[in-house]
Amino acid sequence: MRRKIAALLALAMLGMTPCAMAAEVTMEDTGITPYRIEEQAVITDVQTSLHEGDITLVPAITVRTDTWDQLTLKLREDTVLADAADGSLKRMTDVASPDSLLREGDTILVTYGSAVEQSEPAQTNTELIVVNPSEGTTPHLLDAEVVYRDLTATFLTNNGSLIVRVDRATPVYTLYGEKETNARIRMGTQLVAWYDIVLTSYPGQTTPEKVVLLPDQDRTFTIVTEDGATVAEGRIENGVAMVPVRKIAEVLGYTVTWNNTEESVQLSREDATMTINLGEDRYCFGDAREGLSFGAASYEVNGTSWVPAEVFTLLGHKLQLLTGNVLHLSSVIEA
């Protein structure tokens, strides 16, 4: 029931009307589990040396948290380190002297994957470490699970439990300090957002002080229905979540028509239609001719046409969530 209420509140807060679909939205039994964990930790051991004789070691720290008496956090190339005191953010590979920042006895904030190896001590990969967490606004690692656009880039994150609004005035940067815009935030984007205040609704709501977009990493994800059945595999390419259009459209109840003359695909379901022009980052809803951009052109490989997953958000499927490596489809259409 908690997820059902969360979904309905999220729609209401985003200017949507939940009453027409209240009987249909049932997210509490989808099996969605946290794909990352954030908690405060105290460092009990530091191992940042890469070599021990002829053996190459993975740099790591061991910490104590409310969840673990001992947890070894492996520091990978893509682990990022933030300093709440000065607002800086770097990859561990760009930190000249990790030993000076990660010291035994220090209190830090850690974000790590929920897949923990049950060794002795337990260990997992570290995604974000925040040093000096009490000395400034706190940075948090987030995934944009679904994005709604008006004058803001508003997205759901943390398994749909938090609404984040990034408006035009919010500073947005790349990891290396170049200015960006909120238009770069798309489904599947990983970012670090600085905020401390969260409204105590469910989902919570926040507007970050600034956002840093992490480098795009190509990866795959599983696409599942509301019943938990696996439909297909999608992929994130150059920061855009792409899905096989026919498989997804037919599962959601659309008729898929191929126009050989114009090399386009048309999706139709009741009053909702969309035209997809292969090879173009232009997606036309209804009778519109101009079309919208989602950051990637549609394409065809071995008879399968691929489109950005956000195409279905535009069609009204506003409860579909990309949580970690799973895209949860929703057949519900909300205007």
Side-chain angles (χ1 to χ4, degrees):
M1 177 58 72
R2 189 183 188 200
R3 289 200 177 279
K4 180 175 180 178
I5 294 171
L8 297 175
L9 280 174
L11 290 172
M13 293 168 188
L14 293 167
M16 306 169 208
T17 305
C19 57
M21 46 164 286
E24 299 180 65
V25 180
T26 54
M27 297 180 67
E28 70 274 20
D29 296 322
T30 59
I32 300 176
T33 56
Y35 49 93
R36 68 165 58 99
I37 296 168
E38 177 188 275
E39 61 179 339
Q40 187 170 287
V42 175
I43 300 175
T44 59
D45 186 52
V46 179
Q47 174 60 65
T48 57
S49 172
L50 293 177
H51 299 280
E52 187 176 277
D54 295 330
I55 301 174
T56 300
L57 303 174
V58 176
I61 59 174
T62 301
V63 300
R64 182 178 66 254
T65 73
D66 287 342
T67 308
W68 302 93
D69 289 332
Q70 278 192 309
L71 177 65
T72 296
L73 299 172
K74 293 180 281 188
L75 309 178
R76 307 179 302 175
E77 290 185 0
D78 58 350
T79 299
V80 287
L81 187 145
D83 190 333
D86 62 17
S88 62
L89 185 72
K90 298 178 181 178
R91 275 186 165 166
M92 288 299 302
T93 51
D94 297 324
V95 177
S97 179
D99 302 72
S100 66
L101 294 172
L102 301 173
R103 298 177 296 268
E104 188 174 331
D106 283 357
T107 297
I108 58 176
L109 187 70
V110 295
T111 303
Y112 56 90
S114 60
V116 176
E117 183 181 334
Q118 299 299 317
S119 54
E120 185 59 45
Q123 55 185 304
T124 189
N125 294 320
T126 318
E127 298 187 42
L128 173 67
I129 295 175
V130 180
V131 298
N132 303 314
S134 63
E135 298 182 22
T137 304
T138 307
H140 303 268
L141 178 62
L142 306 174
D143 281 16
E145 296 169 353
V146 62
V147 181
Y148 310 103
R149 298 191 184 279
D150 40 42
L151 296 179
T152 71
T154 298
F155 62 91
L156 286 175
T157 189
N158 293 351
N159 282 339
S161 68
L162 179 65
I163 298 170
V164 181
R165 288 186 173 87
V166 181
D167 59 31
R168 290 180 175 179
T170 305
V172 179
Y173 301 97
T174 68
L175 182 60
Y176 299 104
E178 296 96 348
K179 286 187 176 181
E180 266 291 357
T181 69
N182 62 12
R184 276 276 286 105
I185 300 174
R186 302 188 180 281
M187 177 184 284
T189 296
Q190 291 190 332
L191 54 88
V192 177
W194 275 254
Y195 62 86
D196 282 325
I197 299 173
V198 177
L199 296 183
T200 55
S201 55
Y202 195 90
Q205 303 175 70
T206 191
T207 299
E209 294 180 10
K210 75 171 181 178
V211 167
V212 172
L213 306 179
L214 298 182
D216 298 329
Q217 294 188 34
D218 290 353
R219 57 188 173 94
T220 60
F221 54 87
T222 302
I223 305 170
V224 300
T225 66
E226 293 154 310
D227 296 329
T230 298
V231 177
E233 184 177 86
R235 49 205 187 203
I236 293 183
E237 301 173 328
N238 300 316
V240 180
M242 303 292 290
V243 297
V245 62
R246 180 177 289 276
K247 285 185 178 180
I248 305 310
E250 290 181 344
V251 165
L252 295 177
Y254 289 86
T255 299
V256 182
T257 306
W258 167 249
N259 186 320
N260 194 52
T261 303
E262 297 185 4
E263 293 192 336
S264 65
V265 176
Q266 185 174 68
L267 310 181
S268 57
R269 171 182 148 172
E270 299 172 355
D271 295 331
T273 62
M274 171 168 285
T275 301
I276 300 165
N277 301 287
L278 286 187
E280 298 181 22
D281 182 12
R282 182 168 66 94
Y283 303 92
C284 302
F285 181 70
D287 296 329
R289 303 299 300 172
E290 294 299 319
L292 296 177
S293 167
F294 289 115
S298 56
Y299 62 87
E300 183 268 332
V301 175
N302 298 327
T304 299
S305 298
W306 291 78
V307 299
E310 287 188 273
V311 161
F312 294 97
T313 307
L314 180 64
L315 282 165
H317 299 275
K318 296 176 180 178
L319 283 182
Q320 65 171 1
L321 296 177
L322 178 55
T323 60
N325 292 320
V326 181
L327 174 60
H328 303 266
L329 297 179
S330 170
S331 61
V332 174
I333 293 182
E334 178 69 20

